Structures are given as structure tokens and as C-alpha cells.
Amino acid sequence: MKTKTKVGTVEFSCPVLPASGCFGYGIELAQYYDMSALGGIVTKAVTMDERPGNGMPRIAETPSGLLNAIGLENPGVEFFLDVLLAQIKRFQLPIIVNLAGKKLKDYVSLAEKMLDPQIAALELNLSCPNVKTGCMSIGTNAREIKRLVSAVRKVTDKAIWVKLTPNVTDITEMAKAAESAGADAVSLINTLVGMTIDLEARKPVLKNNTGGLSGPAIMPVALRMVSECYRAIEIPIVGMGGIATAEDALAFLMAGASAIQVGSSTLVDPDLLFSLGDKMAQRASELGFGSLSEVCGSLEYWD
Ligand SMILES: Cc1cc2nc3c(=O)[nH]c(=O)nc-3n(C[C@H](O)[C@H](O)[C@H](O)COP(=O)(O)O)c2cc1C
């Protein structure tokens, strides 16, 4: 079965991508897995300066998901470009660089630096809930999204994917803002803000007090948002949130995603990410589809 997919102008051999932050830069996993099983690489968020991230504990397990407050730990853009990018390029896959900043000008400066031809797209992280400025505070305001994406659009020819937060009343308003400013795709969803409590300590478990919920618990929310956006915008959608099986991934395609990303499940079972493309193809064929791209948007609504 054909597994090729396109997100705007970017072509992928299969629709399976790692979700930012759950895969590092792929360098460690490449020692154990054949990276060609993936459609591309999505990096951990890259910021202008090196960031140590939030204090510990910054990860907590909940009954059906993971709560994290990493706080965008990363070595900064210069180290990314000077050291990491060459190693990621060895996988010979399209690279999507996840960019995060405190202000509009950080995103513009970061985008200006992403010149390498193997960088296929810039995924603007307007959705991290674990930092005090930037990211989600921009991504919850349609006017700010439009302002930021328009500014980045002016300085780059790379495809722009806008990663949206589910922590809003109407995600289609945010997706439309991104589209109207020249985004090539939207990625959704990032994590849902949550809290978990240590009764004996009478304190939140996470040092940041709150964190972002990911994993199986959030999949119904993510599917609903992909389906809403698919009907509201013309640009493609990259779907994620709780994918743990081939059926989950196909549900995202059916709801309208052109490609999918797998995050938390990779931390539980890295095998999944690398076998998912084949498993999706097999399951799609059992369901009567001739190709994976045929699954995209094939959901039939009751009314
Ligand atoms: C530990 C961890 C770190 C993350 N770091 C980032 C990040 O740097 N940039 C980003 O856009 N999303 C980040 N995310 C969000 C994921 O990319 C993804 O949107 C979210 O976890 C939902 O997918 P999942 O349920 O498959 O994990 C992170 C998630 C986790 C669990």
C-alpha cells in the first residue's frame, strides 16, 4: 500500500513523525532503530538561548496520561545549528524544527537562522503551557497568532507549521488566524494544562505546580479539534495527542490529519513509532482503503 503523504509542499514517505520533545533529536534512538521507518524528524523546541528548563520534579504519571513541565530545556540555537543539525541530517529525512520564544522577535530571529535546505518546515510552538512568557500566551490569542505568523512569513520561505494549544475555547479561531497569516499547516494538539497533588506533602507534585497533560487521556479532545479544524480551514493538519496504536493514528487521518505525530507513547514503547507506518498500512488495507492518503478526511458524520 502507498504510504506517501504531503503536508502542503512537504512530501513524506509515510505520515508518521515523532512529536516534539519526546524524541530529543533522534540521535540516541538512531543507535537502535532504522530511522527510514519515519516520515521525518521533529526536533525538541529550539530557543535563542540555552535553557535549563524548570526545576524537578517536572514529570508525573497520572492514571491515563503524563503530566510534564519540562520548560523547554534545550541547548540553544547556536549549539543546535553548529552541532546537532549535522547529526540529524545524517538520517536523510525531512527535518521539522520546533521553534519557541518569549516574544515575536525571537521567532523571527530563529526563523531567519533556519537556512539549511534539509530543514523542510518550521513548527512554531505557540502552545507550550510550562513557560511564563511567549508560547501559549501568544497561542491563546488569535490576533497575536496572526501578528507573529505574518512576521515569520516575511523572513522565511520554509513551510510554516503553527503548533496550537487545546487550552482555548475555540481552536478553529486560532487555526484560521494562522492560515490567514500565511501558515502552511497547523499542528495540533499540544498538551492540556493540568495538576496532580501529593496529599501528604499538601503540594502539587510538579515544582511548576501545573503541567501539560499528554497521552491516551487527551486523544478524544485532540480528535475533536482535528475534526473541527479540518472543516474550518483549507491548509493541512498534522494531528497528535495520545496516539498509541495504528487504529489511533488512522482515526486522526480519518478526522482530517495529513500526517500524525507520536509523543508520550514513544517514551513508553519506542518500538511503536518505528512500526506504526507498516501497521497503519496493514490496518487501512483491512478497512478497504487503497492508500493512507485515501484515509485522510474520510470520516462520515452523522449529520
Ligand atoms: C516530555 C514532553 C516534552 C514536550 N516538549 C515539547 C516541545 O518542546 N515542543 C512542543 O511543541 N511540544 C512539546 N511537547 C508536546 C508534544 O509534542 C505533543 O504535542 C503532546 O505531548 C501530545 O502528544 P502525545 O499525547 O502523543 O504526547 C512535549 C510533550 C512531552 C510529554
Side-chain angles (χ1 to χ4, degrees):
M1 167 177 284
K2 280 194 192 144
T3 56
K4 271 190 190 155
T5 191
K6 262 180 153 187
V7 177
T9 52
V10 186
E11 284 186 28
F12 297 101
S13 60
C14 90
V16 178
L17 306 170
S20 177
C22 302
F23 182 77
Y25 305 89
I27 296 160
E28 293 80 7
L29 285 175
Q31 297 170 58
Y32 307 102
Y33 292 99
D34 175 6
M35 301 300 262
S36 69
L38 303 178
I41 302 291
V42 183
T43 71
K44 171 69 188 164
V46 175
T47 56
M48 285 301 284
D49 298 316
E50 177 183 356
R51 288 178 58 93
N54 293 327
M56 309 279 184
R58 54 190 194 179
I59 263 204
E61 243 180 282
T62 74
S64 54
L66 180 74
L67 204 62
N68 95 80
I70 305 294
L72 302 179
E73 177 185 354
N74 81 98
V77 68
E78 294 312 329
F79 189 84
F80 173 77
L81 291 173
D82 295 346
V83 180
L84 297 175
L85 184 58
Q87 297 181 49
I88 305 169
K89 281 172 67 172
R90 276 197 231 133
F91 309 141
Q92 295 186 324
L93 291 169
I95 300 167
I96 293 99
V97 187
N98 185 279
L99 301 177
K102 291 182 183 155
K103 296 190 176 120
L104 179 148
K105 75 170 177 29
D106 296 338
Y107 289 89
V108 170
S109 305
L110 286 164
E112 279 172 338
K113 290 175 188 288
M114 299 297 144
L115 299 171
D116 192 287
Q118 221 175 304
I119 297 177
L122 309 178
E123 185 176 65
L124 307 182
N125 177 354
L126 302 185
S127 43
C128 175
N130 303 317
V131 288
K132 289 194 175 68
T133 49
C135 285
M136 197 177 89
S137 61
I138 300 170
T140 47
N141 181 325
R143 219 178 317 149
E144 289 295 303
I145 293 177
K146 193 166 178 183
R147 205 165 72 87
L148 188 142
V149 176
S150 303
V152 174
R153 180 72 292 163
K154 286 198 186 102
V155 300
T156 184
D157 293 332
K158 302 276 184 204
I160 298 175
W161 297 4
V162 180
K163 182 142 174 203
L164 297 175
T165 172
N167 302 296
V168 291
T169 311
D170 181 1
I171 192 132
T172 64
E173 202 191 316
M174 309 303 155
K176 283 179 193 163
E179 179 177 51
S180 69
D184 297 278
V186 287
S187 303
L188 49 123
I189 58 176
N190 207 314
T191 54
L192 284 139
V193 180
M195 181 188 268
T196 184
I197 290 174
D198 178 339
L199 287 184
E200 289 191 356
R202 296 192 200 181
K203 281 183 174 296
V205 173
L206 297 178
K207 192 77 181 286
N208 190 52
N209 295 321
T210 58
L213 184 66
S214 59
I218 73 168
M219 194 174 111
V221 178
L223 280 177
R224 187 260 296 174
M225 290 187 163
V226 168
S227 122
E228 283 178 349
C229 287
Y230 185 66
R231 289 183 287 171
I233 57 173
E234 301 290 327
I235 55 174
I237 297 167
V238 180
M240 77 206 78
I243 294 174
T245 65
E247 278 86 359
D248 295 346
L250 290 174
F252 274 87
L253 296 192
M254 215 176 250
S258 299
I260 54 101
Q261 297 184 4
V262 184
S264 307
S265 294
T266 307
L267 305 174
V268 181
D269 172 19
D271 291 0
L272 173 77
L273 187 63
F274 296 90
S275 57
L276 196 58
D278 285 347
K279 286 180 177 159
M280 285 169 74
Q282 192 184 328
R283 191 71 187 105
S285 152
E286 287 165 9
L287 291 167
F289 291 99
S291 69
L292 286 185
S293 58
E294 226 178 76
V295 185
C296 179
S298 62
L299 186 63
E300 293 171 11
Y301 290 91
W302 289 105
D303 266 319

